[in-house]
Amino acid sequence: MEGVTPEQIEEMRRQLGLGQPAWVQSALYVWHAIQGDFGHTIVGREPVLGFLLSRLPATLALTASGLGIAIAIGLPLGFLAAYNRGRWIDNTLMFISVLGISMPSFWLGLMLLLTVPVYLDFIPVAGEGPASIILPALTLGLVYSAVIARMTRSAMIEVLSEDFIRTARAKGLRETIVMSRHAFKPASISIVTVIGLIFGSMMGGQVIVENVFSWNGLGRVAVLAMQQRDYPTIQGFIILFAAIIVTVSVILDMIYLWIDPRVRTG
Amino acid sequence: MRTDRKEGNAVVPIPWLATVSTTRSVAPTTITSCQGVKMDQYRSIGLNIVNRDKQNRSRWFASFTAVAVLTTALSYGSAANAADGAIIVARALDVGTLDRDAGPGDMGNMVIRSILDPLVLLDRDASIKPGLAESWEISPDRLTYKFKIRSGLKCHDGTPFDAEAVKWNFERMARPETTGVSAIRNLDDASVEGDVAVIRFKTRNDAFIRALGALRYGMLCPSSDKADGTFAPIGTGPWKFISWTKNDKVRLERNDDYVNHDPWIENPGAPHEKFLEFRVVPENVARIAALRSGEVNFAEPSYEQVAELRNDPNYKIWAGEHSGQFAWGAFTLKVPPLDDRRVRQAVVHAMDRKTYSEIAFEGQNSPINCPAPPNLPFIDQDLCAQWGQSYDPEKAKALLAEAGYGPNNPLKLTISVHQLPGWDLMHQIMLQNLKDVGIDATLETREASAFMADIKEQNTRTEGIPITWTWGSSGLDPLSPYEQQFVGAGQFNGGLGAEMDKLVAEARSLEGDAQGKAIQNIMQYILSEAFVYPIVSPGWQFVIATKSSTTGFVYQYLNMMNFNDVKL
Amino acid sequence: MGQVFETHNVAAHDQVLKAVDLSVSFQSGNSNAVAVDHVSFGVARGEMLALVGESGCGKSTAALALLGLLRSPPARVEGRILLAGRSILGLPPADLQQIRGKSIAMIFQQPMTSLNPVLTIERQLTESTMAHESITRSEAISRARDALELVGISSPETRLRQYPHQLSGGMRQRVMIAMAMACRPSVLVADEPTTALDVTMQAQILSLIKGLKRDFGVATILITHDLGVVAENADRVAVMYAGRIVEQAGTSELFRAPAHPYTRGLIAAVPRLDGVPIGSAQTRRLQEIPGSVPQAGPSVPGCPFAPRCPLASDRCRSMRPMEVAIAPEHLVSCWEYAA
């Protein structure tokens, strides 16, 4: 706390534009942000955008892997539950998925941390090397696979009650084709919606998971920036996050176009 | 385990002189199992995927996750391990900066001091031993210090380290933007006389020589400041800086030319292990999990984890004994009834410091009686116990009654504190202690910077709810904490007044036993008046866990970690 | 439980599809709702049998049971279903799949929702043939083209590439029929195929079905509540009430001499334009049947129509009426005729 001179403080205030009215500061921020200048981090004095973008790949890789695992687990299980709706296998799966949904990701993360190194000591736990993506991705993936499983199940069951499914069966198609071609494609419209929402919430969930597993992505940046009151970084983080979510929803709309011909021409 | 892979993993030499990078660096590993055919594994995996599935993009996307996760899991499982003689230290926080003069804090200084050597070294008995300076002279007025620099000293980049470099260091530290250099506050100038560096002060500086041996004052090489304005720490120390990936790790490599002068260290030359890495693992559980799995060799445990690992023969807990840290409490003295000595004494009598240490810190530290860094000359815990207030709830109640407080008229008191591991629980127990003697106490916990601002404000009040507050100090000079906190206004406006200023100034002017006696007088005054109460020592970041097989680790003064003797 | 007679049908031996003593009940928890209650009927090659009844009488359920399309549980199907003399009830799913779409095809009431909205017409037309016959995709497409032409759709190439929402309702029903006819089935079950269509379209679709029956000799079961449709198209009629067939006869015989009180009521409720000038004094008032169709529930011991029947006696309420032939190929289940 010592050694900071009033001149330094004044210089800092001037740099940060703190002498100006709040609306001028906000307008300046927006003006600069439009030009891609989100200011400099308070800790380290780096350009915020470059700093955040350098962490983005790690976060996107983790989200993509987590989403991949969530889909890889959730989709088939939801499928299986829908196919066996009302039977014990459906009930069991849905019970497990309730556990999954109600399980906080940080708790699952800690449980994995406590157990995995004991039994599978070749899986890294402390964020070093590409293999260390396994545990955080699994944590995100397992939690969200429950959501996807439930959504897949209910979307499939809804579609399975449609007339065209009866038509498909009346044609003598095999049940697997009825499920995968006739039921899944329409159901995937709502599943894709959920996956889009999950992507957003997963990006949020990363903040916790990245800290638990020392994954050096945006989530770590966000937590540290908050601890250090690094406002430019936090602002930049929020804007970047929002931009990602908007991008994802645009991608989602394009996926709708691809899945649903009614959107295409309608 | 992966011992079979350890030998197989050769590491391509990395130019150790790298600028601080903020990108996630992937250490290139080579496959030596291919009979000498070296290939960049990571890139080849990527290329294979692209080539094979070029035609089928959707399949590529679908299989991306699986391939990425599984392939890398198989090929990199070992790379993540503490192979190649790398000491990997998992800590909760990253360094803020690696520039000694940009306010690195304790976390940063511990890393920086692995790279930089100091001019002088402190032995276990706090005596001063030669470091980069082979000898030194101190003028009797304590204004001029002359250091004869060893000849032939080489920086990590091959440039020489000499008296000119020392001069450069002090000039760099004297720049206005430098923080945390109270020991050279009144520096006049630095000059060179042959192989002697001369440091002059405007006013008498007694604490200087000891401070030089502490954590803060490692010597940089002038080549650390690049022509393009960037900075990377270059020194003469046992470890060379390779890279810093923000929020991830700082990687250092052994300085093979190192010659040791530190009396704490047995190893005469370069460190035993090849690499030293400080890795950021924010989650407590993850750090210890990484230690268990062998991914890291050193891990900061939480106090709960200390309790868990302590009884496990496979693990060792290292606790700093020469931390120079001590936790203490003080009062808003201007707010009645804390201007009444009996009330202050009663509060201190209510506190069960032994339990704080045993419960909140899992017995890893000790209660202290002196308001000073322990294990320094003249800091005599038995003497202090006579002057201060021991845990005695009955006496506390009696003193409170004497001051007019009792069950019908309880003393209202706020315990104002900041968050810190161990301390949070300690404050809970403290709250209970005060309630037990009939004090109507409440606990207010703030985050550190908010706490500092608040206490500064509270210490100017003369009315309202009285407050007792806690803080920690560290140093190797028993007078420094007083100068920082209780002389003049004090860091938190907690100055104890003219009497205190006079006592400390007197003690500063003395030397040897006479100074020791003066220091003891100060402590007697503070303790008997109960202006300040000592709590425990050490207080923060003083434990680290390793596997039992790890040897040679040394916690030096101020919990500086030395890895020169470490063998994994 | 009353006595049950098998259908004494002259053409019985020719019947391609025959349901004997067919029952369908739905179980949920402890309750058991009988939707189809021991019905027997059959349809011969080139013949159109109309299953007539009010909504909820079990006619659609019976049709779904014929194709094995009821999910079990909760549905429970009993009795016998004979396809060209072979019992197909209770066959393993794989065998049933071979029959569905190939031997027995079905078209549904709602052309709007009975086509998959996210698959092309081509896909939906070809998958049936490809599932049942070992033909290549291009062969299947050419068959699909032919099928579209057969049902009177012009520019089939364009249509094949389109999605259902790009077609009109009538066009969709034509596609449905083309789909059903793709494998040249011996039996076509048409469940209210025209209900959702406007009158012009109704006539076109029905004449299309009739044409297919005539040209390909398809045994057709037309499920409808519309007696006008029945009168113009069906060869024979089975009238269902509350899960039972109460009367079966040739179409002209039934309209000429309806025997069962329910059939009589139904016919009386239809507005007629047959020569009686509207507005003249002789215009008969439309009759309505008092009361309403009972909810599906446990099988009742007596005649289910008894509560609404003007002729009901105690016997009607306690015993199930036997099916008796009151004329050649004219069967009726009513105690009036049993005596």
Side-chain angles (χ1 to χ4, degrees), chain A residues 83 85 87 163-164 166-167 169-175 181-182 185-186 259-262 264-265, chain C residues 64 69 71 97 100-101 108 110 113-119 123-124 127 132 163 165 176 179:
Chain A
Y83 185 73
R85 62 198 171 280
R87 309 212 175 102
D163 291 345
F164 58 79
R166 201 177 51 192
T167 309
R169 292 210 175 102
K171 280 189 214 173
L173 300 182
R174 268 179 290 131
E175 193 62 15
R181 186 185 294 160
H182 283 264
K185 208 177 168 198
I259 297 176
D260 193 345
R262 289 167 294 188
R264 230 175 294 158
T265 49
Chain C
L64 292 173
L69 283 176
R71 192 179 149 83
Q97 278 157 19
R100 285 203 289 262
F108 296 97
Q110 295 287 349
T113 56
S114 294
L115 287 170
N116 194 318
V118 299
L119 299 177
R123 167 70 85 180
Q124 300 191 55
E127 62 185 356
H132 294 297
Y163 288 91
H165 70 277
M176 285 293 294
M179 251 163 57

Side-chain angles (χ1 to χ4, degrees), chain C residues 177-196:
Chain C
I177 294 167
M179 251 163 57
M181 292 305 294
C183 291
R184 298 279 182 273
S186 48
V187 181
L188 177 67
V189 181
D191 184 3
E192 306 260 13
T194 58
T195 310

Side-chain angles (χ1 to χ4, degrees), chain B residues 139-283:
Chain B
S139 68
D141 59 3
R142 293 284 198 271
L143 286 174
T144 308
Y145 290 74
K146 291 184 178 182
F147 298 93
K148 184 169 190 295
I149 307 304
R150 287 179 203 274
S151 59
L153 290 172
K154 282 264 181 299
C155 296
H156 297 149
D157 61 347
T159 56
F161 184 89
D162 51 19
E164 281 294 342
V166 176
K167 172 178 183 277
W168 175 85
N169 266 281
F170 279 93
E171 284 168 352
R172 193 177 194 273
M173 281 190 267
R175 294 182 309 187
E177 63 265 35
T178 304
T179 60
V181 281
S182 56
I184 61 157
R185 197 176 293 151
N186 293 311
L187 184 74
D188 188 7
D189 73 344
S191 57
V192 176
E193 296 171 2
D195 57 357
V196 175
V198 182
I199 314 297
R200 284 192 193 84
F201 290 93
K202 291 175 198 149
T203 57
R204 185 187 170 93
N205 191 336
D206 300 271
F208 179 58
I209 190 85
R210 183 164 274 122
L212 280 188
L215 201 53
R216 176 67 186 76
Y217 293 94
M219 290 289 124
L220 280 168
C221 290
S223 48
S224 303
D225 277 332
K226 307 278 180 300
D228 61 2
T230 58
F231 171 87
I234 297 172
T236 58
W239 303 96
K240 302 188 286 192
F241 171 69
I242 302 177
S243 65
W244 173 28
T245 311
K246 252 191 162 182
N247 289 337
D248 189 15
K249 63 185 172 191
V250 178
R251 201 159 161 83
L252 311 179
E253 189 188 352
R254 174 170 65 202
N255 172 9
D256 286 318
D257 302 327
Y258 188 66
V259 178
N260 179 63
H261 300 288
D262 194 328
W264 297 58
I265 302 304
E266 291 167 9
N267 179 1
H272 296 304
E273 303 293 347
K274 174 91 171 145
F275 293 102
L276 173 60
E277 182 180 310
F278 293 89
R279 194 181 294 172
V280 186
V281 181
E283 177 56 46

